[in-house]
Amino acid sequence: MKPCEEEEEQGGAAAAGGGGDPWKECAELAVQLALRAGQIIRKALTEEKQVSTKTSAADLVTETDHFVENLIISVLKEKFPSHRFIAEESTAAGSKCVLTDSPTWIIDPVDGTCNFVHRFPTVAVSIGFAVNRELAQQKQAFDQPPPPTLAYACHIVAIFRSHMRTASTPSSDYISKALILTEIGPKRDPATLKLFLGNIERLLKAQAHGVRVIGSSTLALCHLAAGAADAYYQFGLHCWDLAAATVIIREAGGTVIDTSGGPLDLMSCRVIAAGTREMAMFIAQEIQTIHYRRDDEN
Amino acid sequence: PITTPTLLEEAYTITIDVYCPYFAPFLHITIIKKVSTLKPNFNIFSITLTIGRRRRGSGSSPGACALARLRLGEGEPAAGGKGCAVVLDVGVLEVPLILPGFYGFIGEESVAAGEGSILTDNPTWIIDPIDGTTNFVHRFPFVAVSIGFVVNKKIEFGIVYSCVEDKMYTARKGKGAFCNGQKLQVSGQEDITKSLLVTELGSNRDPETIKIILSNMERLLSIPIHGIRAVGTAAVNMCLVATGGADAYYEMGIHCWDMAGAGIIITEAGGVLLDVSGGPFDLMSRRIIAASSRAIGERIAKALQIIPLKRDDATN
C-alpha cells in the first residue's frame, strides 16, 4: 500500500520503525475537512431542513448529511485517488460496506442526525482511516463538532493527540460508581426496546452512578476518551461511528472490544468501550445482545 | 454561621446583580473575572454566590455548598455596571440563608440535613448550587447552577448557568427567556411522533421504581417518538427544551430547587409546565412535565405511570 505521495521518501524510515508518520498528510487534510464540514453543519443547524427516514421512523437523514459526505469524499478522492471509502450515505444508497487492505476512509458526515434535525446541541463529523483492515495506529481520525458560538449550537469535544487525557484514571473498575453512556439505536420494535431497557435495568441494579444518552455515539465515545465517563456500550451503531473514536479511545489508554468480550469487530454494529479492560468485561457480562445486521452483509 | 471562601476548593464565583420590582431595570452578571451585561431588563438586586466543595477537614461535612453575599440596594447601577449602591450588606453566609423577617431560602443542603421546605408567600430564593452532582464528580460536562426566585408561590425570575458550556440562561416573568443574550423559543412541536424527549433515570435504585421509570420510557418509545436524551441535570434538560433543541422534559423524583430556575425559562420561551398527571404544575410535588406545547405535554402525561413520592413540603 502506498503511503501518501508526499511521504514516499519517508516510507523507508517509517518501515524501519523511525519517527515518520506515513499518514500525516492524510490526517491533516482530515482535520481541515472536519472543520469545514463543521462550519457547514453549524450554519445548516439554524436553517429549515428536509428530513427523510431510512430504516425506521427514528433513523433520519437530511440533505446536509449528503452534502457533507459528498464534499469530504470528493476532496479526498482528488488528493488520494487510490484510496477507498466507506461512508454512511453512500452505503444507504447501495455502496458495499467492505473493508479491504487498501487505505480506506470511514466517514460519518453528520453523527447525531436526529439531534441535528431537532437542534439538540450534540452533533459531530467523524472521519476514520484504516489500512490493512486496522484502524491506523497513529491517531488518524478526528471528531470535530461545531464549537458553541450559537445559543443552541453544539458541544465542543475537540480531541487532539497532545491534549488527550489518559483514560487510565477512571473512577472505578467496577460498574458500581460508574457513569455509563449508551444510545438507543434505530430499531424500536417491542422486543428490541425490552432488551435495551433490560440492559439499563441490569446496570442500575449493579449500582451504576448513572446512564447518559446524548444522541451521538462518536461524541459519547470521545467523552469516554476524555475521562468524563467510565464506559460506553451500544448495539446498532455502524463502522463509520466507530472508526474514528476507537483510535481516539485507544490512544487515550482505553479499551474497545466486542460486546461478547472478544476483540472489536468493526463491521459488527456493536461495541463496548471503557477506561479499563476490567470495566469493559464487566459490562460485557451484564448486557444482553440486540441483533443487528452487520455492515458488511448484503 | 459565617464561613469564608478559603473553606472551598474547586470554587467558582457568580455575581448576579438583580433588581427588585422597586428598582431600575438592569441585569448585570459577573462570572469570575468575566463581565457580561445581558439584556433584557430585569428588576432585581445583588447576590454573589461562591460555589464549590467544602474542603476536607473544614469541620463541616464534605459536599457542595454555596456561600451567598447579599447586597440590597436601590437606584440605578453606576456607569459601567458596577452594581447598585449598597444599602445593606448581610455578609457571607452559607446556604441556606435565612434573613430575619422577610426572606427565606430553600437550598439543597438544608433539606439533606432533614429540614422540610415549606414554601410560603414570602419572597423566597430556591437554589441548587450544583445541579448534576454525579456529572460534576465524573467531569461529564453538564453541570449547572440553578436559582429561582418565588413570590406568592409564583416564580418571578430564574437563572440557570450551565458552567462548562458557559451558557447563562435567564428569564423574568413577562420579559422573555434568554441564553447568552439570545432570545429563546420552544419548538412548538405538537406531534408526539416527531418529538425528541428529555428525561433522567434518577438516583433512586429501588427495583420497583426502576421498573416504573423504564416502563414509562418503553411506552413513550413505542408511540413511536424520535428519541430520548438524558444529559444528567434537570435544569439543563429543561433549558434544552426552552431552546427548542428538545420538545419536552419529564421527570419524577426531582426537587423544587431543580425546577424553580428553569421552570420560568421554559414558560417565558413559550412552553408549558404540567403535572405528570396532566393537571396543573406544583413546584413542591417532586414531579414535572415541561413541554413545548400543551398537546405534547398531555400526550406524555397519558403514557406515564406515577411513582409515589414524598413532597418537598411534607413534614416528617
Side-chain angles (χ1 to χ4, degrees):
Chain A
M1 307 303 118
K2 285 197 202 134
C4 312
E5 280 174 335
E6 217 169 276
E7 258 86 24
E8 202 150 8
E9 67 261 22
Q10 291 176 21
D21 180 347
W23 308 112
K24 182 166 166 216
E25 192 196 4
C26 302
E28 281 164 1
L29 183 54
V31 177
Q32 297 305 316
L33 282 171
L35 283 167
R36 209 163 131 201
Q39 279 171 346
I40 294 169
I41 294 171
R42 211 165 30 248
K43 181 166 175 298
L45 204 60
T46 63
E47 291 165 359
E48 283 302 306
K49 297 170 193 65
Q50 279 200 294
V51 185
S52 340
T53 60
K54 293 194 290 190
T55 64
S56 78
D59 192 5
L60 306 180
V61 64
T62 69
E63 68 271 17
T64 306
D65 299 66
H66 293 292
F67 182 80
V68 168
E69 183 166 310
N70 291 339
L71 169 71
I72 295 175
I73 292 180
S74 60
V75 171
L76 291 173
K77 238 185 204 162
E78 201 191 315
K79 195 88 204 255
F80 310 114
S82 66
H83 289 187
R84 309 224 170 187
F85 297 87
I86 296 175
E88 179 164 13
E89 306 315 328
S90 320
T91 306
S95 287
K96 291 270 193 296
C97 211
V98 178
L99 191 58
T100 65
D101 288 347
S102 304
T104 306
W105 296 90
I106 307 176
I107 298 165
D108 189 346
V110 179
D111 183 49
T113 301
C114 186
N115 285 350
F116 176 62
V117 167
H118 284 271
R119 297 182 193 158
F120 189 86
T122 316
V123 180
V125 183
S126 177
I127 302 178
F129 188 63
V131 179
N132 294 330
R133 285 171 226 258
E134 295 224 345
L135 298 166
Q137 283 308 295
Q138 285 91 2
K139 199 163 88 67
Q140 290 298 309
F142 299 83
D143 287 346
Q144 187 71 334
T149 51
L150 305 176
Y152 41 69
C154 316
H155 215 18
I156 272 195
V157 181
I159 314 274
F160 296 98
R161 196 203 300 213
S162 56
H163 296 138
M164 270 194 299
R165 260 219 243 126
T166 71
S168 61
T169 50
S171 50
S172 169
D173 286 340
Y174 305 97
I175 294 179
S176 82
K177 299 197 181 49
L179 185 66
I180 302 173
L181 310 184
T182 189
E183 295 296 330
I184 304 175
K187 284 208 296 186
R188 300 297 168 85
D189 57 280
T192 298
L193 290 179
K194 278 202 156 30
L195 285 169
F196 171 76
L197 295 168
N199 285 339
I200 292 186
E201 188 173 10
R202 248 181 294 276
L203 294 171
L204 293 179
K205 284 202 169 138
Q207 303 304 314
H209 266 178
V211 179
R212 303 281 178 264
V213 176
I214 64 171
S216 159
S217 37
T218 53
L219 281 177
L221 289 163
C222 288
H223 280 306
L224 181 64
D230 300 293
Y232 179 87
Y233 71 95
Q234 193 191 336
F235 299 94
L237 76 177
H238 296 280
C239 56
W240 47 76
D241 298 316
L242 279 174
T246 297
V247 180
I248 295 173
I249 290 175
R250 286 177 175 161
E251 287 292 313
T255 297
V256 186
I257 59 171
D258 183 65
T259 50
S260 63
L264 175 72
D265 178 352
L266 193 59
M267 297 293 170
S268 65
C269 293
R270 57 197 211 185
V271 71
I272 294 175
T276 63
R277 188 162 186 84
E278 289 73 22
M279 174 68 81
M281 295 307 291
F282 277 118
I283 304 269
Q285 278 155 27
E286 287 293 338
I287 60 178
Q288 290 190 303
T289 302
I290 301 173
H291 287 287
Y292 277 88
R293 249 177 45 192
R294 295 174 59 84
D295 275 333
D296 52 8
E297 249 168 61
N298 259 336
Chain B
I2 312 272
T3 53
T4 67
T6 54
L7 286 176
L8 296 181
E9 57 188 9
E10 296 179 49
Y12 53 93
T13 303
I14 297 177
T15 302
I16 303 163
D17 288 331
V18 174
Y19 290 74
C20 278
Y22 327 108
F23 301 108
F26 181 73
L27 176 66
H28 169 104
I29 295 190
T30 309
I31 301 161
I32 312 173
K33 291 175 187 120
K34 197 172 93 171
V35 177
S36 36
T37 305
L38 298 187
K39 289 155 183 162
N41 299 328
F42 264 63
N43 285 331
I44 23 184
F45 51 86
S46 171
I47 174 170
T48 304
L49 279 178
T50 303
I51 296 166
R53 294 187 208 258
R54 288 195 196 88
R55 272 190 207 288
R56 287 186 198 85
S58 67
S60 309
S61 57
C65 76
L67 307 181
R69 176 183 291 279
L70 202 58
R71 288 194 178 89
L72 305 178
E74 53 191 347
E76 305 248 31
K82 289 274 191 285
C84 46
V86 174
V87 169
L88 175 66
D89 184 341
V90 295
V92 178
L93 298 172
E94 200 171 293
V95 168
L97 181 65
I98 307 292
L99 296 181
F102 52 98
Y103 281 91
F105 272 75
I106 297 177
E108 183 159 5
E109 310 306 313
S110 67
V111 171
E115 305 158 25
S117 328
I118 308 291
L119 183 63
T120 65
D121 285 348
N122 288 339
T124 304
W125 295 88
I126 303 185
I127 298 172
D128 190 347
I130 300 183
D131 186 42
T133 308
T134 302
N135 287 354
F136 184 56
V137 165
H138 285 271
R139 292 179 228 144
F140 192 71
F142 289 100
V143 179
V145 183
S146 173
I147 300 171
F149 186 68
V150 176
V151 181
N152 295 326
K153 304 200 178 95
K154 296 240 169 354
I155 309 176
E156 285 290 320
F157 66 80
I159 297 165
V160 173
Y161 179 47
S162 176
C163 30
V164 182
E165 305 180 278
D166 195 19
K167 288 186 182 165
M168 177 72 78
Y169 295 92
T170 58
R172 173 81 176 94
K173 192 165 83 176
K175 309 262 187 176
F178 294 80
C179 176
N180 291 352
Q182 291 243 10
K183 199 170 200 315
L184 298 181
Q185 179 69 41
V186 292
S187 68
Q189 180 65 255
E190 306 217 322
D191 182 350
I192 190 83
T193 64
K194 293 192 171 60
S195 68
L196 184 65
L197 304 185
V198 203
T199 189
E200 292 297 332
L201 296 165
S203 49
N204 194 326
R205 295 289 175 264
D206 162 57
E208 283 314 305
T209 304
I210 293 177
K211 274 197 158 34
I212 298 176
I213 290 174
L214 294 176
S215 77
N216 284 337
M217 286 174 68
E218 188 175 1
R219 242 181 312 269
L220 289 165
L221 286 167
S222 307
I223 292 176
I225 56 178
H226 273 177
I228 291 184
R229 303 286 176 260
V231 309
T233 120
V236 175
N237 283 340
M238 287 172 73
C239 288
L240 287 167
V241 175
T243 66
D247 302 298
Y249 164 76
Y250 73 93
E251 196 171 350
M252 290 176 271
I254 55 177
H255 294 276
C256 57
W257 49 77
D258 299 317
M259 305 190 263
I264 187 163
I265 294 171
I266 290 210
T267 52
E268 285 296 316
V272 301
L273 301 181
L274 298 172
D275 183 61
V276 294
S277 62
F281 170 62
D282 177 352
L283 185 60
M284 308 307 270
S285 66
R286 306 277 311 277
R287 52 199 219 195
I288 186 171
I289 297 175
S292 59
S293 70
R294 184 159 288 272
I296 291 248
E298 284 170 356
R299 181 62 187 87
I300 294 171
K302 262 174 61 177
L304 294 181
Q305 182 186 348
I306 296 185
I307 299 166
L309 292 161
K310 196 168 108 174
R311 294 173 58 89
D312 273 334
D313 53 10
T315 45
N316 277 327

